[in-house]
Amino acid sequence: MPPALRIVIRLLTPLFLLSAAWAQTSSTVSGNALDTTGALIPHAHVTLQRADGAALETESDSSGQFHIANVKPGNYTLRIAADGFQTLEKPLAIPSQTRTPLRLTLAVMGAVADVNVNAEEQTLQVNTDTSNNQSATDVDRDALDRLPVFDGDYITTLSRFLSTDAVGTSGVTLVVNGAEANGAGVTASGVQSVRINQNPYTALYASPGRARIEITTKGGTDHFHGSLNALGRKSIFDARNPFARTKPAESRLFFEGAVTGPLRVGRKSTFLVTGNHDKNHQQAVVLAATPSGQVQTNVPNPTTHDFYSARAFHNFREADQFWIGYSYERRAVQNAGIGGTVLPEAGTDTRMFEHEINLGYTRVISPQLVNQLRFLVGKNENRVDSITSAPQVLVSGAFTGGGAQADFRRTENHVDGADIVTYTKGKHELKVGIDIPDISRRGFVDKTNGLGTYTFASLSSYAAGTPSLYVTQRGQPRVVFWETIFGGIVEDTVRLRPNLSISAGFRYYFQNYFHNVPFNVAPRLSFAYAPSTKGRTVIRGGAGLFYDRSGPSPISDLLHFDGVTLRKYIVSRPAYPFPGSAVAALPTSLATLDPRVRMPSTLQFSIGLEEQITRSSTLSVTYVGMRGMNLFRSIDANAPLEGTNIRPNPTFGQIRLVQPEGYAKGNSLEISFRGRPTSYFAGQVQYILSKSYNNTQGITWFPADSHTPLNDWARSDNDRRQKFDLLGTFTAKKWFSLGTALSLYSGLPVNIVTGSDTNGDGVANDRPTGIRRNALHGPGYVNVDFNLAHDFVLTKDKKSAKTLTVSINSFNVVNRVNPTTYVGVITSPFFGKPVAAQPPRRMQFNLQYKF
């Protein structure tokens, strides 16, 4: 057992002992919000109102549980409201202490004719709960079924509401049922709701709200229910790709579903089974310039994806639940990486598989004390194989040919988990726990560039046989290491007054290999204040410090390129072809870590105004500021002096030094509307006006000149000045529903480069004299998607309703050309032009059967 795992076990033990020792000391109302099938309803709004008008409010958490503390004896009305459900009211007589958690079932909202009445009865959505910010994106199960979701990929559909500048080095954070995870663990039909930017400054999670996707999955039910889906499309119904000479022959067939029900007669044990099978016969479109002329062709790029999962649940008491699940995933892609200027021979075949075992245990010790444990054990493997065994030839901005030189294999055996204790007393709700995003044993087999890569500045340089760079590797390709990431959490939410709540906490960070220091503590603070007693207006703000994580790839680089294990050779202005016998005499390159390095951090702060527009729709206006400090970047610490091709230390080639010297600055104004303003429309609209600058794009990023990295301060690669998104559903009574997604974005900047390595630092990213980074304005983005659906109700019994939904989806309805690759290489025949774009208009046909 690794030392880090022993430490974690020692830290977990006191938490369990603490949860067993605490006792109930004050009056609290707690319980579960469920639908008619027994599935828990997350984020339901709960109000406990006394006869004299005084009210206490809260919201059910991601597992459907709620707790209201500091309740005085008396007669109350408990009201629960959730989108898509009828509001429930229940009279309660509260004694001095309440021990039994409540189980409250909400009926599904009926026909559209009933929506008006229920909407008027719903409680206000704007309130002073610090986790109830109305700028969040919130999509429940019913909305996911009605929206235009391409190929069932709801994560990509909702990712438009993420902020790319807030995402850390290791990518978007996925939170499933309150704990970080690599995947949802279930297919789309097993998802109950998806949220983005909920409670952006909570200490429970490592990343800010717009850098994480929170998924709540379904539980088991005591009656058999399910959803079966079939999806298909054929290119005969699609428009032609603007960069394809002929329309690619494409098709897709996708089956997916979920079934839940009881495991035995007592109905305390239930199950959930989900799965999907996907056959995608797509094609990549190549548009490249070669010495023999322009290449414009279509290349088959088929993908096969299978995912299956099974979970079992058991309720020990009214609110205690244990569950365990297993999932298996397999994906295979042929001719990956081809398209744009990448020729067919430079593609790869990729394969991956993953096994995971998940478990969770919620223990309600008392109405004041709850312990939630989530644990995951997994094993996965990713493999990339080059199609062609040949050196790679990269002509900047014109074509990439030869072999891909991308042979790579990664294995991972990992443990993730979190244990959170929630204690409520008086005006306080205290959360204490640990979060372990990753303890893993990783193996990396790096066989990239075994035959080398030649980089040419232009087609004329290629014709002359004068490359500007040659990169190759020799030695031991395999390294094995343990990666450990740990977080400690303390957070207290206090309702100081009925119209003022404050949440304050901190999160401790640890990651091995990066010179961690004991003061990696990130404070978090948020507040919500209602200036009016009617509560229709809320002022909300907060600030938080968020530390980054490197991910495993940089650790692999540091272990591989130590000058001995895997030797990298970088040759400026080499002979072509370069003789293999001459490689051993070259100085090797290194990857090193700055001894001053510590984990980068980002400070985010915001202030906003929220207003209830109707009883079921809100408007929010928020200013958000961001400052990135000590951000990762790489420089060549052995770069040749200006005007020479001589490295200061001739014993080595490039010395890649990972530094904590980057800086970023961003400001944005966000306007968000969400809810159901009429009985015919429900959804959310967001407009963002922003500006972001930085001098690094991450841990693998090099400045144009390693001697003057500050000269790269410019617009961020992700700097979209204006961004508008609409996601919603129009409903025409019982006739049909029209799900709509509209995106209108201004263009991203494009970096102008020469395509060569004039300064000899081993990176072909030099810019023309006098040109700043990201000086070229790229094209904007316009996209409209529709999902037209009609429900055929097969039974009238609501308890065992069976529905067949037929829908037609159209993506990129207006057939707009939205470029994805915009060439900034001045020597390229495509300079200032796109060579690849998002897909044209496509049609998709869906069948869904619910029972």
Side-chain angles (χ1 to χ4, degrees):
M1 181 183 294
L5 188 55
R6 293 194 192 100
I7 295 173
V8 170
I9 293 174
R10 291 172 184 171
L11 288 167
L12 272 172
T13 303
L15 282 175
F16 287 117
L17 295 176
L18 179 63
S19 64
W22 266 340
Q24 171 181 334
T25 58
S26 65
S27 299
T28 298
V29 175
S30 66
N32 292 329
L34 307 98
D35 63 19
T36 53
T37 69
L40 294 167
I41 303 174
H43 313 303
H45 185 73
V46 183
T47 303
L48 188 64
Q49 188 164 18
R50 205 164 54 197
D52 61 7
L56 297 171
E57 296 177 298
T58 188
E59 186 178 85
S60 63
D61 61 18
S62 60
S63 62
Q65 297 181 347
F66 66 87
H67 308 273
I68 302 178
N70 197 30
V71 181
K72 297 178 181 180
N75 294 320
Y76 290 82
T77 297
L78 181 67
R79 182 183 295 110
I80 303 183
D83 290 343
F85 295 90
Q86 297 180 20
T87 299
L88 173 69
E89 291 189 0
K90 178 181 178 66
L92 286 179
I94 306 298
S96 57
Q97 291 187 334
T98 301
R99 290 186 177 274
T100 305
L102 302 167
R103 288 175 64 87
L104 302 164
T105 302
L106 277 66
V108 177
M109 190 171 289
V112 177
D114 298 330
V115 173
N116 267 330
V117 177
N118 290 324
E120 292 301 315
E121 292 177 351
Q122 287 185 0
T123 57
L124 294 176
Q125 293 181 337
V126 168
N127 59 57
T128 55
D129 187 336
T130 56
S131 65
N132 193 43
N133 54 298
Q134 294 301 302
S135 60
T137 300
D138 186 0
V139 182
D140 62 14
R141 176 70 263 160
D142 183 65
L144 285 172
D145 288 337
R146 301 296 176 182
L147 291 171
V149 178
F150 186 71
D151 291 344
D153 187 358
Y154 60 92
I155 290 180
T156 299
T157 298
L158 295 176
S159 292
R160 66 191 71 194
F161 293 101
L162 293 169
S163 169
T164 47
D165 276 323
V167 174
T169 302
S170 54
V172 174
T173 300
L174 192 64
V175 177
V176 181
N177 298 330
E180 288 193 30
N182 293 329
V186 295
T187 62
S189 292
V191 172
Q192 183 66 35
S193 67
V194 184
R195 281 193 162 192
I196 293 174
N197 198 38
Q198 180 63 28
N199 201 1
Y201 301 111
T202 178
L204 295 177
Y205 306 125
S207 56
R210 291 211 182 280
R212 67 175 185 262
I213 299 176
E214 297 178 48
I215 296 175
T216 301
T217 62
K218 291 181 178 179
T221 61
D222 56 5
H223 291 82
F224 288 100
H225 296 281
S227 176
L228 304 176
N229 300 276
L231 175 158
R233 68 170 188 267
K234 197 82 171 175
S235 58
I236 189 173
F237 301 105
D238 300 340
R240 182 176 62 85
N241 188 303
F243 297 101
R245 185 164 292 165
T246 59
K247 181 191 290 189
E250 298 181 326
S251 64
R252 187 164 199 167
L253 197 57
F254 180 84
F255 299 99
E256 186 272 337
V259 178
T260 179
L263 279 174
R264 59 189 179 89
V265 178
R267 294 185 177 178
K268 288 188 176 181
S269 297
T270 57
F271 72 89
L272 172 68
V273 175
T274 72
N276 73 247
H277 174 68
D278 183 15
K279 282 280 191 180
N280 186 6
H281 297 282
Q282 60 189 359
Q283 295 202 20
V285 179
V286 175
L287 177 61
T290 68
S292 57
Q294 183 169 290
V295 175
Q296 193 170 10
T297 186
N298 304 329
V299 181
N301 175 215
T303 298
T304 302
H305 179 223
D306 293 287
F307 182 94
Y308 305 99
S309 71
R311 293 182 174 185
F313 306 82
H314 182 74
N315 296 316
F316 291 99
R317 301 189 310 168
E318 284 289 320
D320 288 2
Q321 186 185 73
F322 172 82
W323 66 270
I324 186 169
Y326 166 77
S327 64
Y328 169 76
E329 183 175 13
R330 175 185 176 275
R331 185 189 300 272
V333 183
Q334 297 179 35
N335 296 331
I338 299 171
T341 59
V342 180
L343 299 176
E345 68 262 24
T348 63
D349 291 334
T350 68
R351 288 171 288 172
M352 70 82 65
F353 74 84
E354 182 169 49
H355 302 271
E356 282 190 350
I357 297 176
N358 288 266
L359 63 86
Y361 180 49
T362 300
R363 173 79 167 96
V364 180
I365 299 160
S366 76
Q368 287 75 38
L369 190 61
V370 179
N371 188 84
Q372 290 182 302
L373 172 68
R374 299 288 185 270
F375 193 72
L376 179 152
V377 179
K379 175 183 178 63
N380 64 49
E381 178 178 333
N382 288 269
R383 180 166 181 166
V384 180
D385 296 301
S386 300
I387 294 172
T388 306
S389 179
Q392 185 177 77
V393 176
L394 194 161
V395 180
S396 299
F399 77 90
T400 299
Q405 288 300 297
D407 299 77
F408 196 88
R409 181 170 175 261
R410 184 178 72 182
T411 58
E412 175 184 344
N413 298 285
H414 60 270
V415 175
D416 306 341
D419 188 77
I420 306 296
V421 175
T422 302
Y423 179 61
T424 56
K425 179 177 174 59
K427 298 179 180 180
H428 297 264
E429 182 185 71
L430 179 66
K431 292 182 181 290
V432 181
I434 64 170
D435 180 22
I436 309 169
D438 190 27
I439 295 179
S440 58
R441 181 184 184 274
R442 298 180 181 270
F444 280 69
V445 180
D446 184 353
K447 295 184 178 181
T448 61
N449 279 319
L451 299 178
T453 294
Y454 296 92
T455 300
F456 294 85
S458 63
L459 283 171
S460 59
S461 298
Y462 176 68
T466 56
S468 60
L469 274 178
Y470 175 65
V471 179
T472 189
Q473 295 177 179
R474 302 287 191 276
Q476 172 55 256
R478 186 172 186 265
V479 295
V480 177
F481 60 91
W482 283 87
E483 181 182 15
T484 303
I485 303 172
F486 168 80
I489 300 162
V490 176
E491 183 173 79
D492 188 19
T493 301
V494 189
R495 186 177 291 274
L496 297 176
R497 293 186 298 188
N499 64 335
L500 176 63
S501 296
I502 293 178
S503 179
F506 66 85
R507 184 181 179 94
Y508 172 74
Y509 283 76
F510 171 83
Q511 179 183 337
N512 58 342
Y513 290 102
F514 280 88
H515 308 329
N516 271 272
V517 290
F519 47 83
N520 271 355
V521 175
R524 312 280 173 83
L525 176 68
S526 60
F527 72 90
Y529 170 67
S532 169
T533 55
K534 293 183 178 179
R536 296 184 67 88
T537 302
V538 170
I539 300 171
R540 189 182 302 275
L545 191 67
F546 301 88
Y547 283 99
D548 196 4
R549 300 200 292 252
S550 70
S553 294
I555 299 173
S556 169
D557 289 346
L558 293 171
L559 298 177
H560 265 129
F561 304 117
D562 57 359
V564 178
T565 305
L566 183 59
R567 298 178 299 280
K568 177 184 286 187
Y569 302 102
I570 301 176
V571 187
S572 295
R573 304 178 184 88
Y576 180 67
F578 192 80
S581 58
V583 169
L586 298 173
T588 185
S589 295
L590 305 176
T592 61
L593 197 61
D594 191 317
R596 302 168 299 155
V597 78
R598 58 172 296 180
M599 297 308 295
S601 60
T602 298
L603 174 66
Q604 181 178 303
F605 47 94
S606 64
I607 184 75
L609 183 70
E610 298 176 353
E611 181 74 20
Q612 189 88 25
I613 304 301
T614 69
R615 283 195 177 269
S616 52
S617 62
T618 62
L619 178 70
S620 64
V621 180
T622 308
Y623 161 76
V624 180
M626 180 274 294
R627 304 293 183 267
M629 301 161 288
N630 304 313
L631 302 182
F632 283 133
R633 75 177 178 205
S634 297
I635 67 166
D636 182 1
N638 197 32
L641 300 175
E642 186 176 358
T644 73
N645 197 33
I646 301 173
R647 294 187 176 274
N649 185 349
T651 307
F652 296 102
Q654 179 194 81
I655 300 179
R656 175 191 167 192
L657 180 66
V658 178
Q659 290 185 318
E661 299 292 335
Y663 182 70
K665 179 179 180 179
N667 297 284
S668 65
L669 178 67
E670 303 181 359
I671 302 174
S672 300
F673 174 88
R674 57 181 279 194
R676 184 187 292 273
T678 73
S679 60
Y680 301 101
F681 176 78
Q684 40 217 334
V685 181
Q686 183 185 83
Y687 170 75
I688 299 177
L689 176 65
S690 65
K691 179 191 291 186
S692 64
Y693 277 70
N694 62 24
N695 58 9
T696 176
Q697 283 300 135
I699 197 166
T700 60
W701 184 88
F702 282 81
D705 187 344
S706 291
H707 294 296
T708 57
L710 294 180
N711 288 347
D712 278 36
W713 176 259
R715 290 179 64 187
S716 160
D717 287 6
N718 307 312
D719 180 36
R720 289 193 188 273
R721 293 298 166 88
Q722 299 189 73
K723 191 169 180 282
F724 175 89
D725 281 293
L726 179 149
L727 207 60
T729 302
F730 297 89
T731 306
K733 296 186 177 181
K734 297 181 180 180
W735 298 106
F736 66 87
S737 66
L738 181 66
T740 307
L742 170 64
S743 296
L744 306 171
Y745 303 160
S746 58
L748 291 171
V750 177
N751 197 29
I752 299 176
V753 296
T754 63
S756 62
D757 178 29
T758 306
N759 57 23
D761 61 2
V763 185
N765 64 347
D766 299 5
R767 294 192 300 272
T769 303
I771 301 295
R772 296 186 61 83
R773 173 173 152 253
N774 286 342
L776 185 63
H777 295 278
Y781 175 83
V782 176
N783 189 71
V784 184
D785 301 333
F786 286 138
N787 173 15
L788 182 64
H790 177 72
D791 294 337
F792 295 91
V793 179
L794 306 180
T795 59
K796 295 183 179 181
D797 184 1
K798 292 184 178 180
K799 291 185 179 180
S800 59
K802 296 178 175 62
T803 305
L804 178 66
T805 302
V806 180
S807 60
I808 300 175
N809 292 257
S810 180
F811 301 92
N812 192 5
V813 175
V814 296
N815 201 29
R816 156 94 178 197
V817 178
N818 291 306
T820 57
T821 303
Y822 207 71
V823 178
V825 183
I826 59 174
T827 56
S828 169
F830 302 115
F831 174 66
K833 300 177 182 178
V835 292
Q838 295 279 0
R841 181 177 58 250
R842 290 185 288 184
M843 303 297 293
Q844 178 176 292
F845 303 91
N846 296 62
L847 285 176
Q848 181 183 61
Y849 175 62
K850 285 186 176 181
F851 61 93

